[in-house]
Amino acid sequence: QVQLVESGGGLVQPGGSLRLSCAASGFTLDFYSIGWFRQAPGKEREWVSCISSSDGSTYYTDSVKGRFTISRDSAGNTVYLQMNNLNAEDTAVYYCAIKGPPGSRCSRVTAGYDYWGQGTQVTVSS
């Protein structure tokens, strides 16, 4: 069974950091581009970041550039999102997603991704 499981969310103060994990089972993450999305209450799901299956290139939405870092651990079949200097606007449920078929490019639209995890809550508050 193909599964994606996000973890690492929680409550942090502004300026703090969190590291989110996306653990895969049933398939190999190295074959796919992997995206991170987030959704705040009352808002549409927003693309945050992506790491490419082809050359490992990384991409970020403007609001998180310089603060967030996406990475891949091939041995652990896990993708991470390191989030630093968090602010209240980062509060959301964060999802990882897989873009198919194998070798597909990164994309910033939700329709381009085929498999999704259940999400992990990130709350930034003082």
Side-chain angles (χ1 to χ4, degrees):
Q1 182 72 31
V2 174
Q3 287 189 318
L4 294 172
V5 179
E6 300 98 333
S7 62
L11 175 64
V12 297
Q13 294 185 342
S17 297
L18 285 173
R19 189 193 193 204
L20 305 184
S21 299
C22 175
S25 61
F27 65 99
T28 301
L29 280 176
D30 285 354
F31 298 157
Y32 301 87
S33 295
I34 302 100
W36 282 97
F37 293 78
R38 64 188 181 187
Q39 188 166 25
K43 294 186 177 181
E44 295 184 349
R45 192 164 296 185
E46 174 191 21
W47 174 78
V48 176
S49 184
C50 184
I51 185 165
S52 173
S53 64
S54 59
D55 60 1
S57 297
T58 58
Y59 306 89
Y60 304 91
T61 193
D62 287 345
S63 64
V64 309
K65 286 181 179 177
R67 300 189 297 121
F68 290 12
T69 303
I70 189 171
S71 62
R72 187 196 317 255
D73 174 12
S74 296
N77 210 30
T78 301
V79 170
Y80 300 97
L81 186 68
Q82 178 68 45
M83 306 186 297
N84 299 326
N85 299 316
L86 289 162
N87 57 63
E89 298 299 319
D90 298 315
T91 295
V93 177
Y94 283 71
Y95 302 87
C96 65
I98 305 303
K99 192 172 188 300
S104 294
R105 299 176 180 176
C106 278
S107 173
R108 64 177 63 189
V109 298
T110 60
Y113 293 80
D114 297 317
Y115 303 98
W116 297 79
Q118 80 292 331
T120 185
Q121 176 72 50
V122 172
T123 302
V124 185
S125 177
S126 60

